[in-house]
Amino acid sequence: MSRTDRATYTQMFAPDGTVLLHPERAPARYRPLRAVRSFQGLMKDKEDTSLVFKIFESLPSKDFLPRVSALALSERGEFLRSTEPFLPEILDDHAALRRTPKGSLAHAYCDFMETEGLSAAGLVAESDRSGRPRYPDLVEWFINRSRDTHDLFHILTGYGRDALGETCVLLFTHGQSPSQGHLLIGYAGAANIKKMAKGSAAPVFGAVREAHRTGKGAPPLIAQPIRELLARPLEDVRAELRIPQPTQYRECHRIWQAEGIDPYNLLASKAAVEPELLAA
C-alpha cells in the first residue's frame, strides 16, 4: 500500500468520530520467515493460540483495509458497534445465554465452551500475549470482532477442536476473510495431519477444501448481529448462513475410528499402532 493510500485511510472517520486507521498504527509488514517460525512452534504446541495471531500479523492481506472500511463505515457497521461494542461480555454471560430457548445457537455455544473449558476472555488474553500494540481505531474493532467470533465458527460449522477440526475452521475463515495466514496454517496443517495419520484413507484434503468452499459461500459472520443470532435456533441460523453439514470432516472421523485412530490424539494413535506394524 502506498503512503497516499494509507494517508487516505487515516482521514476516514465513523459518525462517532472514530478514525478508520490510527496514524500511529505501524504499516503491516510482510514477514514470511517469522510466519514459518511461528507455524513450527504451533505444530509443537497447538494450544499456544498466541502463535496464530503472530502468523496472521506476519502475512498481512492486501485488501484488509478496504474490507475494514466496507464494514466499519457502513450503516451495518455502525449498528453493530452500538449494539455489540464488545462481544466477549455477551459471549461469556452464560447465565443470560442460557435463558434463550433450548436448541438455540446460544445453548450450543455454552455447551461447547463449558465442555472445552474455554471463554471469550481467554481468547482475548491469548491475543494480548502476541504483544501487538492497540489503537483506538476501527481497525482495532474489526480485528477484535474477527477474533471474538472464532469459537462461534466451531458451533455453526460442526467442526470440533481436534487437529482437523481446527484446520477446517481456519480454511472456512479464509473463505470468509482471506489472508495468507489462514492458508498457511490450513493447508500446511492438513499436510501435517496426513503425515501423522500416514497410510489412512481419510479424505483430509477433501475435508479442508469443503470447509474452504463453505466459508466462501456463507455471508461473513463478522457482519452479522451476533446477539440476535444467539437467540435463534441453531439449525435456522445454519440455513440462513448457508452452512451445510461437514460431510468430509465426519467421513475422516468415521474412517479414523474404523482404523483405530483417535481423531483427537493422532500422535498417540500412531505410536500405539506402529509397534504392531513392526511386529507383523
Side-chain angles (χ1 to χ4, degrees):
M1 178 183 296
S2 70
R3 290 183 179 179
T4 301
D5 291 338
R6 179 178 171 81
T8 299
Y9 286 114
T10 63
Q11 298 301 314
M12 300 172 74
F13 296 85
D16 65 1
T18 305
V19 67
L20 180 75
L21 176 67
H22 195 282
E24 294 181 11
R25 183 181 289 277
R29 290 175 54 202
Y30 190 73
R31 294 182 284 179
L33 292 179
R34 180 176 184 257
V36 170
R37 287 194 297 270
S38 297
F39 177 77
Q40 291 170 338
L42 185 64
M43 289 299 96
K44 295 177 182 177
D45 181 9
K46 77 179 187 69
E47 297 298 326
D48 190 353
T49 312
S50 66
L51 293 171
V52 174
F53 295 108
K54 289 180 180 179
I55 291 170
F56 294 154
E57 292 163 10
S58 302
L59 300 172
S61 172
K62 292 182 179 179
D63 67 347
F64 175 70
L65 285 176
R67 283 191 280 114
V68 174
S69 174
L71 176 60
L73 296 179
S74 68
E75 289 186 9
R76 178 179 287 263
E78 291 178 41
F79 171 77
L80 294 175
R81 286 197 305 281
S82 64
T83 58
E84 303 171 349
F86 189 58
L87 283 177
E89 293 180 353
I90 297 171
L91 295 172
D92 280 344
D93 188 353
H94 288 201
L97 294 180
R98 290 290 188 188
R99 289 195 287 272
T100 61
K102 295 288 187 181
S104 68
L105 172 59
H107 273 272
Y109 175 78
C110 290
D111 290 344
F112 175 83
M113 298 297 280
E114 290 166 12
T115 299
E116 297 291 339
L118 302 173
S119 69
L123 193 57
V124 173
E126 288 291 333
S127 174
D128 289 343
R129 285 179 58 197
S130 70
R132 179 180 62 84
R134 304 292 192 262
Y135 297 94
D137 58 13
L138 295 177
V139 168
E140 193 71 30
W141 171 79
F142 189 93
I143 292 172
N144 290 344
R145 193 171 176 87
S146 299
R147 173 199 66 205
D148 298 334
T149 52
H150 170 81
D151 286 316
L152 283 169
F153 282 174
H154 281 284
I155 291 87
L156 290 168
T157 59
Y159 297 124
R161 291 193 71 230
D162 57 295
L164 180 59
E166 292 286 7
T167 301
C168 285
V169 166
L170 286 167
L171 268 301
F172 175 90
T173 306
H174 181 273
Q176 296 259 299
S177 182
S179 80
Q180 291 184 22
H182 291 113
L183 283 180
L184 169 64
I185 304 174
Y187 281 106
N192 191 55
I193 291 169
K194 286 288 289 185
K195 181 180 179 181
M196 287 191 291
K198 187 176 181 180
S200 172
V204 171
F205 282 100
V208 296
R209 284 194 292 267
E210 180 181 61
H212 203 179
R213 289 193 301 271
T214 298
K216 289 180 178 180
L221 182 62
I222 190 176
Q224 308 305 313
I226 301 302
R227 195 194 300 269
E228 294 178 17
L229 293 185
L230 285 164
R232 295 176 52 195
L234 173 58
E235 294 307 321
D236 288 359
V237 176
R238 283 174 171 163
E240 181 176 310
L241 298 182
R242 301 191 294 275
I243 300 176
Q245 295 297 316
T247 56
Q248 291 292 295
Y249 168 74
R250 290 178 178 170
E251 179 65 3
C252 285
H253 274 230
R254 185 193 68 79
I255 291 174
W256 279 333
Q257 289 165 356
E259 294 172 339
I261 297 173
D262 180 0
Y264 290 86
N265 199 347
L266 295 173
L267 284 176
S269 297
K270 181 181 177 184
V273 171
E274 282 182 342
E276 297 178 9
L277 294 177
L278 290 172

